[in-house]
């Protein structure tokens, strides 16, 4: 009997959720159109609209009109929702995945550095 851990479904999992992918696309380009996010994330526009609404409702981003288009801003200090990452800010992950120099990240690890050497008490993700 096939379940979610066996058979053909096993090869279709990914590390990031659709919500994360949409948020990353917005972090890369705050003026991006929903249809472009949908195409880049292989989702429907309707799904992307629902995800943006979720993110806005839960305080992860704000949407403002800029002429005929929307501009998005990611909330500073926004934190992960899952208890396993409780207290960690999403800014570190977004900076890492977008290559954004404007969001501070942990310093690069050296050959002698350990997880204890990297300060991460401020909620930032340690990137070792």
């Amino acid at each position: 009997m096939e379940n979610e851990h066996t058979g053909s479904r096993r090869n279709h999992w990914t590390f990031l959720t659709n919500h994360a992918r949409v948020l990353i696309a917005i972090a890369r380009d705050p003026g991006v159109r929903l249809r472009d996010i949908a195409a880049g994330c292989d989702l429907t526009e309707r799904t992307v609209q629902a995800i943006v609404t979720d993110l806005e409702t839960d305080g992860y981003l704000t949407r403002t009109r800029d002429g005929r288009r929307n501009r998005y801003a990611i909330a500073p200090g926004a934190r992960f929702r899952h208890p396993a990452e409780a207290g960690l800010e999403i800014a570190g992950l977004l900076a890492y995945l977008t290559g954004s120099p404007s969001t501070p990240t942990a310093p690069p690890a050296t050959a002698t550095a350990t997880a204890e050497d990297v300060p991460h008490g401020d909620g930032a993700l340690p990137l070792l």
Side-chain angles (χ1 to χ4, degrees):
M1 172 158 84
E2 282 192 19
N3 65 32
E4 65 184 21
H5 301 292
T6 63
S8 63
R9 286 202 67 204
R10 186 176 183 132
N11 294 328
H12 292 94
W13 68 274
T14 63
F15 280 106
L16 299 175
T17 65
N18 290 336
H19 281 66
R21 284 190 192 90
V22 169
L23 195 59
I24 291 164
I26 290 170
R28 288 182 177 143
D29 179 5
V32 67
R33 297 179 307 174
L34 295 185
R35 75 176 56 161
D36 295 330
I37 295 173
C41 295
D42 196 27
L43 300 168
T44 65
E45 284 186 58
R46 186 174 178 149
T47 297
V48 172
Q49 280 180 318
I51 290 171
V52 167
T53 298
D54 288 347
L55 293 170
E56 189 175 18
T57 299
D58 289 340
Y60 285 90
L61 60 86
T62 57
R63 177 181 7 197
T64 56
R65 292 297 287 174
D66 185 14
R68 292 178 46 196
R69 299 190 53 184
N70 288 319
R71 267 199 94 60
Y72 303 94
I74 296 173
R79 299 185 184 278
F80 287 97
R81 293 171 49 113
H82 194 280
E85 296 86 31
L88 298 177
E89 291 185 7
I90 63 170
L93 180 65
L94 292 175
Y96 181 74
L97 293 174
T98 63
S100 173
S102 62
T103 306
T105 59
T110 62
T112 59
T114 65
E116 292 79 28
D117 297 328
V118 178
H120 54 275
D122 62 353
L125 285 174
L127 300 174
L128 293 179

